[in-house]
Amino acid sequence: MQNQDQLNELKAIVQSLLDEAIRQGASTAEAGLSQENGLSVTARMGDVETIEHHRDQGLGVTVYFGQRKGSASTTHLSPEAIKDTVAAACSIARYTNADDYAGLPERDLLATEFPDLQLNHPWAIDAEAAIAIAIECEDAARGYDPEISNSEGASINTHQGVHVLGNTLGFLHGAMTTRHSLSCSVLAERGGNMQRDYWYSVARNPLDLESAIHVGQKAAQRTLRRLGARSLSPRQCPVLYAAEVASGLLGSFIGAISGSVLYRKSSFLLNSLDTQIFPEFIHIHEQPHLIGALGSAVYDSEGVATRPHDIVSNGIVRSYVLSTYSARKLGMRSTGNAGGVHNLIIDPGALDFQGMLKMLDTGLLVTELMGQGVNMVTGDYSRGAAGFWVENGKIQYPVEEITIAGNLKNMYKHIVAVGNDVDLRGNVRTGSILIERMSIAGE
């Protein structure tokens, strides 16, 4: 009941801001209000390093005078602050040039149904209990093996936010969400060679987090396996992206079919709609209504209803990723992706991670990527990497200080398989991805 009272109070504030915008002469307006609070605790070397309590709020408004647009924001919610913020937005709008594509979403695209996706699971944990979990996690890592020589600490983060969105088309809705995480990072040393690695768990519901001991031990295992890393001579070979880094390949694809780069003609996938970019077995889709998932949302950041839909099927691009503005620039309709995608999924194949290693046979397993190195105009791809050299389907030794390179269009075309070792810890759900051949540069 307390949550509902808070939501009603914040919705009333947003409605008052929209009413004020109309009073000050705006033809239409939209507004968003957020309040967030959380706790972050870090323990290092068995002792408390940091305890932080977070509490933030913000209110933003965008007004339209016809198709002239102005925006302003404030952290204060008093009637005076609201009036001043609206006045600032209106002042900007009056002096900007009209933009034929500006304006609120089409009314018929706005969300009208609001199913409970179970995204709000507060964690009633105090600093003392959080410290105990963080220390337990780090102790599990530090005590795992004598070669674990130092620690960057273990951290607990718990966060709850409430967000309200409204516009003058009658849309007004708010929801509460939570996000909790546990992470650990340690260092190992052998013969003067030092390596670090980490592990983390994240979930809407704290009951879904991996145990402190598991996170700590996994961090230790990942660190130890990197000891003795070496570089590679230049070569071309198959590359297997581990699930935790494979999401970046899909992120680059989504970036290249996003409306903002398409209407600017700055994407290597211009005019790719209804063309084959991937092998026929590739199916990439958005599932925004998964219960309790990290990327779930009933509507996007403009209030446009989200919906499950195919982005790629049979390897063919079926849909771009569009906000209201970018859709209008392209002569299309919003796909409900203002603010990004929601639970992007690439369908896994039949092989688990060990099966993917066997399919790789001899080549590079990538577990870490460094730098940006992606040219969205040409698709050229070059990233610093670390991982493992694999022969006959078995990991031989760790690898570091190398660069992997290719062109994304060619890489997508030559995806050989997607594993069923799906990483669920983010907005992109993918297993490991095997690419037929890439260039490796090292020593």
Side-chain angles (χ1 to χ4, degrees):
M1 190 63 185
Q2 184 179 1
N3 287 348
Q4 192 57 52
D5 289 344
Q6 183 184 5
L7 273 174
N8 290 338
E9 180 182 337
L10 298 182
K11 286 165 72 173
I13 292 172
V14 169
Q15 187 61 58
S16 70
L17 187 148
L18 296 171
D19 294 342
E20 180 64 29
I22 298 301
R23 272 195 295 272
Q24 293 195 29
S27 50
T28 57
E30 59 187 350
L33 191 163
S34 65
Q35 288 185 339
E36 301 178 353
N37 64 81
L39 170 68
S40 298
V41 170
T42 299
R44 181 177 178 275
M45 304 304 287
D47 204 357
V48 181
E49 186 165 72
T50 60
I51 301 174
E52 298 179 13
H53 291 273
H54 317 280
R55 187 174 295 275
D56 300 297
Q57 69 178 17
L59 177 63
V61 60
T62 296
V63 300
Y64 296 93
F65 282 65
Q67 288 174 300
R68 292 176 293 153
K69 173 184 172 182
S71 299
S73 62
T74 181
T75 57
H76 302 287
L77 304 182
S78 68
E80 295 78 13
I82 288 173
K83 187 175 293 187
D84 291 345
T85 303
V86 171
C90 290
S91 177
I92 293 168
R94 288 188 177 99
Y95 293 101
T96 58
N97 294 324
D99 184 338
D100 291 341
Y101 306 101
L104 299 180
E106 288 78 8
R107 189 189 299 268
D108 65 317
L109 292 181
L110 295 173
T112 56
E113 297 180 1
F114 307 97
D116 181 8
L117 301 182
Q118 299 177 29
L119 308 181
N120 184 47
H121 300 273
W123 194 358
I125 187 171
D126 58 20
E128 186 175 343
I131 291 166
I133 294 174
I135 290 176
E136 180 186 25
C137 182
E138 192 200 31
D139 284 350
R142 292 172 60 211
Y144 186 80
D145 189 278
E147 289 184 317
I148 300 294
S149 58
N150 207 335
S151 171
E152 293 183 346
S155 297
I156 284 267
N157 290 279
T158 175
H159 167 274
Q160 182 177 38
V162 53
H163 306 274
V164 175
L165 181 67
N167 62 37
T168 51
L169 296 178
F171 180 89
L172 182 62
H173 190 262
M176 289 188 164
T177 61
T178 53
R179 184 184 180 94
H180 316 289
S181 64
L182 170 62
S183 62
C184 183
S185 176
V186 291
L187 294 90
E189 187 173 4
R190 179 190 301 159
N193 173 249
M194 186 171 287
Q195 296 287 345
R196 67 167 290 279
D197 212 321
Y198 66 95
W199 190 247
Y200 72 94
S201 178
V202 59
R204 297 279 191 188
N205 189 331
L207 298 177
D208 294 330
L209 290 174
E210 295 171 10
S211 72
I213 291 175
H214 182 269
V215 170
Q217 290 181 344
K218 185 91 175 200
Q221 292 164 1
R222 288 170 59 87
T223 303
L224 290 166
R225 70 180 187 172
R226 295 182 64 158
L227 288 170
R230 59 183 100 162
S231 189
L232 290 173
S233 58
R235 67 192 69 186
Q236 289 197 333
C237 65
V239 173
L240 177 63
Y241 282 75
E244 62 263 30
V245 294
S247 59
L249 293 174
L250 298 186
S252 294
F253 167 66
I254 293 300
I257 60 163
S258 294
S260 58
V261 298
L262 293 174
Y263 74 70
R264 293 188 180 100
K265 300 188 183 304
S266 56
S267 168
F268 69 94
L269 291 181
L270 277 180
N271 304 314
S272 60
L273 202 62
D274 298 322
T275 63
Q276 183 137 13
I277 300 298
F278 296 89
E280 285 189 4
F281 68 88
I282 295 295
H283 180 211
I284 301 173
H285 50 113
E286 194 180 16
Q287 296 292 338
H289 301 160
L290 296 180
I291 297 298
L294 291 166
S296 293
V298 176
Y299 49 86
D300 70 4
S301 62
E302 297 176 321
V304 173
T306 56
R307 58 183 175 84
H309 77 290
D310 285 348
I311 295 175
V312 173
S313 63
N314 301 118
I316 296 170
V317 178
R318 305 294 185 181
S319 171
Y320 291 145
V321 174
L322 307 175
S323 65
T324 296
Y325 184 82
S326 63
R328 288 173 181 159
K329 292 281 281 189
L330 294 168
M332 298 179 176
R333 299 258 283 176
S334 171
T335 57
N337 292 118
V341 292
H342 308 92
N343 297 324
L344 187 74
I345 297 170
I346 181 168
D347 282 1
L351 297 177
D352 62 11
F353 179 66
Q354 292 302 320
M356 293 292 285
L357 283 178
K358 287 180 182 177
M359 181 174 276
L360 171 66
D361 188 39
T362 297
L364 178 68
L365 166 64
V366 174
T367 59
E368 183 178 10
L369 292 166
M370 291 147 276
Q372 299 306 311
V374 179
N375 186 322
M376 293 303 291
V377 178
T378 64
D380 289 340
Y381 179 99
S382 179
R383 303 282 304 273
F388 299 88
W389 183 249
V390 178
E391 293 179 2
N392 300 317
K394 297 185 183 301
I395 291 175
Q396 300 298 310
Y397 53 83
V399 172
E400 65 181 359
E401 296 180 355
I402 60 170
T403 301
I404 57 175
N407 183 276
L408 282 169
K409 210 165 185 177
N410 190 55
M411 290 161 62
Y412 293 150
K413 183 179 178 181
H414 290 94
I415 290 176
V416 177
V418 180
N420 63 20
D421 52 333
V422 178
D423 188 347
L424 302 178
R425 296 175 299 168
N427 189 32
V428 178
R429 296 184 169 200
T430 177
S432 50
I433 294 179
L434 176 58
I435 294 176
E436 184 177 354
R437 187 169 296 272
M438 292 182 68
S439 296
I440 314 295
E443 58 189 18

